[in-house]
Amino acid sequence: QQQVKQSPQSLIVQKGGISIINCAYENTAFDYFPWYQQFPGKGPALLIAIRPDVSEKKEGRFTISFNKSAKQFSLHIMDSQPGDSATYFCAATSGSGNTGKLIFGQGTTLQVKP
Amino acid sequence: NAGVTQTPKFRILKIGQSMTLQCTQDMNHNYMYWYRQDPGMGLKLIYYSVGAGITDKGEVPNGYNVSRSTTEDFPLRLELAAPSQTSVYFCASSTTNTGELFFGEGSRLTVL
């Protein structure tokens, strides 16, 4: 019940296209869903995050869509650029007494071809 | 402002050896974490700390130990290294329990 399942494992998109990465969870106590971006040789960095009281959050070209009833959330990257090529991790946690421990998905390696 | 600093960046160990991965942060964050990253497996929490003197186990604590004597430092000790501990280790910190973590650049450990 603590798992977060992420797909696809890898993704190749043409420049200007839309990249979509999906995640699913089972623990209904989760109330914070961040996405992290990781470039080779670097640590992950927070990209965008959502709480379940909204169905969508947009920051620039990055959008999280959240479906509470289906227990799924996804990251959409619009107008994908070669600089977006990185590994993306979804994650989840519950705030109440959980000390912020994140449960990460397996990761998606995105390659944006010029 | 250095953020989260990890040393060493690379290390090769022989089976049965021990070592300590160092982690220090200069953001005065109370929460600190150690994760390991393996291909196709995401990041798994090893240990975490909510403040100096307080530590607790994460998902995969076996074979590791931690201590937190100061707010800044959170070293990870590997005792009797095994090939299964070959991985990239990330230290992270946060100021709240919201899940917004700041990661170091990682320490790549190979056990042969």
Side-chain angles (χ1 to χ4, degrees), chain A residues 4 6 12 15 27 32 41 48 66 73 78 88 109:
Chain A
V4 176
Q6 182 173 346
I12 300 175
K15 177 182 176 181
N27 188 345
Y32 179 75
I48 186 173
F66 187 83
F73 58 109
M78 311 300 288
Y88 292 82
T109 301

Side-chain angles (χ1 to χ4, degrees), chain B residues 2 5 7 9 14 17 22-23 26 31 41 47 54 57 59-60 65 72 77-78 83 85 89 91 103 107 109 111-112:
Chain B
T5 303
T7 57
K9 292 190 183 300
K14 293 183 179 179
Q17 288 185 322
Q22 301 291 343
C23 175
D26 62 0
Y31 298 84
M41 300 294 291
Y47 271 95
I54 306 170
K57 297 177 181 178
E59 301 171 78
V60 290
N65 277 300
E72 295 77 20
R77 177 81 177 165
L78 281 75
Q85 293 179 304
Y89 292 84
C91 180
F103 283 85
S107 298
L109 175 67
V111 182
L112 300 174

Side-chain angles (χ1 to χ4, degrees), chain B residues 45-63:
Chain B
L45 182 65
I46 304 171
Y47 271 95
Y48 68 98
S49 170
V50 300
I54 306 170
T55 63
D56 205 350
K57 297 177 181 178
E59 301 171 78
V60 290
N62 291 343

Side-chain angles (χ1 to χ4, degrees), chain A residues 12-77:
Chain A
I12 300 175
V13 174
Q14 291 294 129
K15 177 182 176 181
I18 302 173
S19 304
I20 302 173
I21 305 170
N22 300 299
C23 285
Y25 64 98
E26 295 183 358
N27 188 345
T28 55
F30 288 151
D31 60 3
Y32 179 75
F33 302 89
W35 284 88
Y36 280 77
Q37 180 187 54
Q38 183 183 31
F39 293 106
K42 302 294 184 181
L46 179 65
L47 181 64
I48 186 173
I50 196 168
R51 293 197 180 272
D53 51 345
V54 297
S55 60
E56 185 175 282
K57 183 174 182 180
K58 183 176 181 180
E59 290 184 2
R61 296 183 293 107
F62 300 91
T63 299
I64 301 178
S65 297
F66 187 83
N67 186 331
K68 188 174 182 178
S69 60
K71 291 184 284 186
Q72 295 175 347
F73 58 109
S74 59
L75 176 69
H76 296 236
I77 306 174

Side-chain angles (χ1 to χ4, degrees), chain B:
Chain B
N1 195 343
V4 178
T5 303
Q6 293 182 232
T7 57
K9 292 190 183 300
F10 303 94
R11 182 73 186 267
I12 298 174
L13 280 181
K14 293 183 179 179
I15 294 172
Q17 288 185 322
S18 300
M19 74 160 297
T20 299
L21 298 177
Q22 301 291 343
C23 175
T24 186
Q25 52 93 7
D26 62 0
M27 297 174 283
N28 201 32
H29 286 171
N30 286 331
Y31 298 84
M32 295 190 74
Y33 312 83
W34 274 105
Y35 284 88
R36 61 176 287 173
Q37 182 178 12
D38 301 294
M41 300 294 291
L43 293 101
K44 299 294 185 184
L45 182 65
I46 304 171
Y47 271 95
Y48 68 98
S49 170
V50 300
I54 306 170
T55 63
D56 205 350
K57 297 177 181 178
E59 301 171 78
V60 290
N62 291 343
Y64 307 95
N65 277 300
V66 294
S67 59
R68 184 95 182 271
S69 57
T70 66
T71 299
E72 295 77 20
D73 300 308
F74 191 40
L76 177 71
R77 177 81 177 165
L78 281 75
E79 304 282 2
L80 298 175
S84 61
Q85 293 179 304
T86 293
S87 188
V88 181
Y89 292 84
F90 286 98
C91 180
S93 71
S94 69
T95 185
T96 67
N97 67 348
T98 61
E100 182 175 355
L101 306 186
F102 295 83
F103 283 85
E105 295 200 335
S107 298
R108 182 176 294 274
L109 175 67
T110 301
V111 182
L112 300 174

